[in-house]
């Protein structure tokens, strides 16, 4: 099938080489399809013309019809501008240009009548429009058309070449006139269109550019949003199911001695229902013969470590090695010590490899890993260095996934002939909506249950002027034998101001707790690793009662005796970071507290963040809220995937449509996993056309 929409934009009537270059550079439009999908951001109702008299300080945009009565060049050399006065039957208005003066003064002719559209501004109390959209009225009667005229995103440079926001409509119109139903084939099966009462796809493209009414526009918009979301989810579904069917993975066919021995004799507690369920899911995956790619989402404190450990034992039982990769040295060490403790009476050979491992030891670890004399290797990024090779790596667990890039994860695949199973664990719950799109190709397990006996953490927000009370409260908790964290913002470890605040905070704290019985540790990113480690250890051993720290403490650290967390300048933290930090307390059976300290000046967003923190401990709710407040663009790790670049749809605002299209996509793939049915052939060929652009098919 000749694909008209893939034609270079150069060949569209009215474009030509010069304009084609500009369209590419300024708007990234290379083909007919690019122009077709360059959607108008609004429509002007050309029947609605205001009078100059009606302009008031509340007026934002306005469309008037009037005659140019005078034009002046003003200003000097670098500050030149052009002013024109336009008049209608009720008054006059100034129009101002700072750019394109030559072109504008050639185009405008005093005495002639124009349509003028633009944003009203006030200069010295008088209304004016800077850089209005302006168009001569050729014949008054024909131009008062009753349709809505599209206005497109455009740029200064394009405007100067006659391709401004309104003028681009001429190109769209000539493109749409060339296209027929066979160029924009219907991709949805008829039953779905009927069921959902969707506009036909070809019609939708016409109507989104040139609707006959606002209602028609909204139907077109809904249809095309549906398609964007539907197509994205079909693509994800296909990647996932193809991988399930075609990727070979090592088979962990049996539950062996180590697993059983540990489970029956060394497990320090009864697993929660969620832990058991997830383990079952993992075992099924790892026994299936395909490579596992699973995302385990478990809120902070839900007990992911033990799940990772049991899965690693399963690997060892089946004659394979396993590794566990953590984002920081502190965390890797903590995992190592916790797991070492749990396995102390078991015949498992394990070790730890981090950036600070001495060269000689490192060589020996690498040798043992390569020869298969090491069962479990725990570490940091060091694990993915090329010098680290395994004899037969069967499982790679990655903790706290948001710190690792996609590419780093993919490197793990190369460590074994058959790619190891990959278990990614994240404590930053990903909102369901986002997970469906951004991580839709990973299988997901969710641990939505905390171990029994945990009391919900009590979170409060206190202003700076209540510091004395807060310190008094810390004192009383410490006197009960508890430990406390005090966290300072240090967003970038190199920010000097934050660093000074941290030091000042530390000095102040010493003043609040002057007696010799109080001991304070401090950990921050500028310390050498050795210092960090000793300071951390002193706190772990309860030699110190107060830990002053930056967010290096954010992930993973597990000290059940710590019951209070104070977060200084809490307004500077994002929601997921606050939630992570708070997760450091409430790990034992004692009642725990999180105190968010702020100054008195808070903006609306910060206030909202603090409120939600005080209202709930539920990471999933917090993640949804975070998405709502910030939008999808900022959520860690999703931007690079390029998946959320929908042109029309917004996964937050269009959540209903996202859910609906997701269900439809799922249903369709259930019935026809390879899209072989004739009623899906158009969909299939559209996907084939798009597939060259896929950058995310290798997300592990
Ligand atoms: P996270 O999911 O945040 O990584 P951890 O694995 O660090 O959580 O577990 C948090 C704490 O809960 C640890 O002290 C761990 O020993 C404990 N824990 C985990 N599972 C259970 C359980 N089923 N019952 C009781 N305590 C548990
Ligand atoms: Mg953890």
């Amino acid at each position: 099938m000749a694909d008209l929409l893939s034609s270079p934009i150069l060949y569209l009537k009215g474009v030509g080489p010069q304009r084609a270059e500009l369209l590419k550079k300024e708007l990234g439009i290379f083909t007919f399809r690019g122009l077709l999908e360059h959607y108008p951001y609004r429509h002007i109702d050309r029947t609605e013309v205001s009078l100059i008299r009606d302009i008031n300080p509340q007026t934002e945009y306005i469309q008037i019809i009037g005659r140019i009565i005078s034009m002046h060049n003003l200003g000097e050399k670098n500050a030149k501008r052009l002013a024109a006065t336009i008049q209608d039957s009720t008054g006059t208005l100034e129009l101002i240009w700072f750019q394109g003066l030559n072109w504008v003064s050639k185009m405008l002719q005093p005495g002639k009548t124009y349509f003028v559209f633009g944003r009203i501004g006030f200069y010295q109390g008088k209304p004016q429009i800077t850089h209005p959209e302006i168009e001569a009225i050729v014949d008054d009667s024909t131009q008062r058309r009753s349709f809505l005229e599209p206005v497109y995103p455009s740029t200064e440079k394009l405007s100067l070449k006659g391709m401004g926001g309104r003028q681009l409509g001429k190109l769209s119109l000539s493109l749409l006139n060339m296209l027929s139903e066979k160029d924009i084939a219907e991709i949805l099966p008829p039953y779905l269109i009927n069921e959902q009462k969707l506009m036909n796809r070809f019609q939708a493209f016409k109507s989104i550019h040139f609707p006959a009414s606002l209602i028609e526009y909204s139907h077109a918009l809904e249809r095309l949003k549906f398609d964007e979301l539907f197509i994205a989810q079909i693509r994800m579904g296909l990647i996932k199911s193809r991988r399930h069917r075609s990727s070979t993975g090592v088979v962990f066919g049996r539950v062996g001695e180590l697993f059983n021995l540990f489970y029956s004799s060394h497990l320090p507690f009864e697993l929660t229902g969620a832990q058991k369920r997830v383990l079952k899911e993992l075992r099924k995956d790892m026994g299936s013969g395909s490579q596992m790619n699973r995302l385990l989402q478990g809120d902070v404190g839900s007990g992911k470590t033990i799940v990772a450990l049991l899965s690693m034992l399963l690997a060892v039982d089946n004659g394979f090695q396993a590794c566990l990769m953590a984002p920081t040295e502190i965390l890797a060490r903590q995992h190592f010590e916790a797991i070492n403790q749990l396995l102390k009476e078991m015949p498992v050979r394990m070790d730890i490899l981090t950036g600070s491992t001495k060269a000689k030891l490192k060589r020996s670890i690498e040798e043992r890993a390569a020869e298969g004399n090491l069962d479990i290797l725990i570490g940091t990024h060091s694990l993915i260095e090329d010098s680290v090779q395994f004899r037969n790596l069967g499982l790679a667990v990655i903790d706290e996934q948001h710190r690792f890039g996609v590419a780093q994860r993919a490197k793990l695949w190369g460590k074994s002939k058959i790619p190891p199973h990959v278990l990614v664990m994240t404590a930053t719950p990903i909102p369901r909506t986002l997970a469906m799109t951004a991580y839709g190709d990973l299988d997901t397990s969710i641990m939505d249950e905390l171990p029994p006996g945990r009391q919900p953490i009590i979170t409060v927000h206190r202003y700076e002027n209540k510091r004395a009370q807060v310190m008094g409260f810390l004192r009383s908790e410490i006197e009960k034998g508890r430990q406390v964290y005090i966290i300072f913002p240090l967003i970038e470890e190199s920010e000097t101001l934050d660093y000074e605040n941290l030091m000042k905070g530390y000095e102040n704290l010493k003043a609040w707790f002057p007696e010799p019985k109080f001991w304070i540790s401090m950990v921050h990113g500028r310390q050498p690793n050795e210092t960090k480690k000793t300071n951390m250890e002193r706190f772990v051993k309860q030699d110190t009662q107060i830990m002053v720290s930056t967010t290096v403490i954010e992930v993973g650290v597990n000290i059940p005796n710590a019951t209070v967390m104070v977060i200084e300048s809490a307004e500077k933290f994002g929601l997921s970071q606050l939630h992570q930090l708070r997760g450091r307390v409430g790990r034992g059976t004692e009642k725990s507290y999180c105190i968010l300290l702020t100054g008195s000046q808070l903006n609306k967003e910060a206030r909202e963040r603090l409120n939600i923190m005080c209202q709930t401990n539920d990471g999933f709710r917090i993640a949804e809220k975070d998405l709502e407040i910030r939008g999808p663009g900022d959520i860690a790790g999703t931007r690079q995937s390029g998946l959320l670049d929908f042109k029309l749809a917004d996964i937050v605002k269009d959540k209903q449509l996202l859910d609906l299209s997701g269900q439809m996509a799922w249903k369709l793939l259930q019935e026809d996993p390879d899209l072989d049915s004739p009623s899906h052939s158009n969909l299939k060929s559209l996907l084939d056309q798009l597939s060259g652009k896929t950058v995310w098919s290798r997300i592990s």
Side-chain angles (χ1 to χ4, degrees), residues 300-301 303-305 331 335 399-400 425 427 555-557 584 587:
V300 271
K304 294 184 291 293
T305 314
L331 256 181
H335 274 314
D399 194 13
E400 313 296 355
M425 305 197 296
V555 282
V557 174
R584 299 311 107 216
R587 304 196 138 234

Side-chain angles (χ1 to χ4, degrees), residues 85 110 400 404:
T85 307
E400 313 296 355
F404 285 110

Side-chain angles (χ1 to χ4, degrees), residues 347-564:
V348 176
R349 298 161 296 179
M350 59 180 288
D351 218 321
I352 175 168
L353 182 68
T354 70
S356 62
T357 306
K358 298 274 182 316
K360 202 172 144 204
L361 180 56
K362 185 173 182 212
R363 258 198 312 279
S364 128
I365 290 172
E366 285 170 359
E367 256 173 49
R368 278 178 282 145
E371 286 162 9
N373 292 326
L374 198 56
D375 301 314
I376 294 179
L377 184 57
I378 293 174
T380 54
H381 302 66
S382 307
L383 294 186
I384 55 176
E385 281 172 20
D386 291 331
S387 59
V388 181
Q389 291 297 330
F390 292 86
R391 198 173 88 86
N392 57 353
L393 185 66
L395 170 66
V397 182
I398 304 172
D399 194 13
E400 313 296 355
Q401 169 255 356
H402 62 291
R403 296 284 176 102
F404 285 110
V406 171
Q408 287 175 311
R409 260 185 283 151
K411 272 193 103 171
L412 278 169
W413 288 35
K415 299 250 171 238
S416 217
K417 258 191 242 94
I418 300 179
H421 297 301
V422 176
L423 174 63
V424 174
M425 305 197 296
T426 168
T428 307
I430 298 159
R432 255 170 282 278
T433 43
L434 204 58
M436 268 169 68
T437 46
Y439 299 88
D441 69 320
L442 294 183
D443 298 299
T444 309
S445 291
I446 293 182
M447 292 212 304
D448 47 7
E449 187 185 343
L450 296 181
R454 297 277 173 81
Q455 302 192 41
I457 302 159
I458 295 171
T459 304
V460 294
H461 170 207
R462 292 285 179 265
Y463 291 105
E464 186 56 45
N465 60 8
K466 291 277 169 18
R467 181 173 289 274
Q469 276 108 310
V470 171
M471 292 301 143
F473 177 70
L474 296 188
R475 178 176 281 269
S476 72
E477 281 289 300
I478 295 170
E479 280 166 355
K480 282 195 239 163
R482 309 283 123 73
Q483 290 165 285
V484 306
Y485 293 102
I486 304 195
I487 307 295
F488 285 82
L490 203 62
I491 313 305
E492 284 294 325
E493 299 283 347
S494 59
E495 277 176 22
T496 309
L497 190 65
D498 279 346
Y499 183 70
E500 281 167 11
N501 281 340
L502 172 72
M503 290 306 160
K504 225 164 44 199
Y506 177 65
E507 291 305 322
N508 282 342
L509 208 67
K510 284 207 283 200
W512 283 104
F513 295 93
E515 301 94 312
K517 63 176 175 173
F518 294 112
W519 292 89
I520 306 177
S521 305
M522 179 160 65
V523 172
H524 61 78
R526 286 193 181 181
Q527 289 168 331
N529 279 336
E530 222 23 59
T531 316
K532 263 191 248 174
K533 201 172 111 189
T534 11
N535 289 345
M536 199 64 217
E537 272 164 8
R538 290 179 65 210
F539 191 64
V540 173
K541 289 194 193 118
Q542 305 194 23
D543 289 345
T544 63
Q545 300 92 13
I546 301 175
M547 165 61 83
V548 173
S549 147
T550 62
T551 50
V552 292
I553 220 83
E554 182 187 338
V555 282
V557 174
N558 189 29
I559 299 165
N561 190 50
T563 57
V564 188

Side-chain angles (χ1 to χ4, degrees), residues 555-575:
V555 282
V557 174
N558 189 29
I559 299 165
N561 190 50
T563 57
V564 188
M565 165 153 298
V566 176
I567 303 180
E568 299 269 357
S569 307
E571 75 276 14
K572 290 194 184 166
F573 294 86
L575 259 180

